[in-house]
């Protein structure tokens, strides 16, 4: 199997990646939302707007600011 980041042959130690570097690149993409699927559901959009207006910036575990 080739590395999904750079297409080099994968290494069993970092499977499916070829190196720690490529594994870290993939992890960074997850953290930055690079693999997210945008929603077109109007309810999701309303919730996002409400969260922005309340000053919430991120995940569920983050404390709410009032």
């Amino acid at each position: 199997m080739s590395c999904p980041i750079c297409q080099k042959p994968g290494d069993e130690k970092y499977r499916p990646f070829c190196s720690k570097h490529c594994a870290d690149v993939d992890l960074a993409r997850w953290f930055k939302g690079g693999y997210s699927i945008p929603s077109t559901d109007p309810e999701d959009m309303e919730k996002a707007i409400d969260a922005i207006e309340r000053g919430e910036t991120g995940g569920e575990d983050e404390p709410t600011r009032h």
Side-chain angles (χ1 to χ4, degrees):
M1 173 182 236
S2 62
C3 176
I5 302 299
C6 71
Q7 308 311 313
K8 291 180 184 175
D11 183 329
E12 284 296 314
K13 184 176 179 182
Y14 302 105
R15 190 172 173 216
F17 308 102
C18 67
S19 65
K20 180 166 177 15
H21 171 76
C22 283
D24 289 345
V25 167
D26 184 71
L27 183 61
R29 288 179 183 172
W30 278 104
F31 285 150
K32 292 179 181 178
Y35 295 131
S36 65
I37 299 172
S39 173
T40 57
D41 183 347
E43 253 186 62
D44 289 342
M45 291 179 202
E46 288 176 21
K47 288 178 186 176
I49 291 169
D50 290 344
I52 291 168
E53 289 173 349
R54 288 191 308 266
E56 297 173 9
T57 59
E60 308 271 332
D61 296 334
E62 199 172 293
T64 307
R65 290 182 251 173
H66 293 282

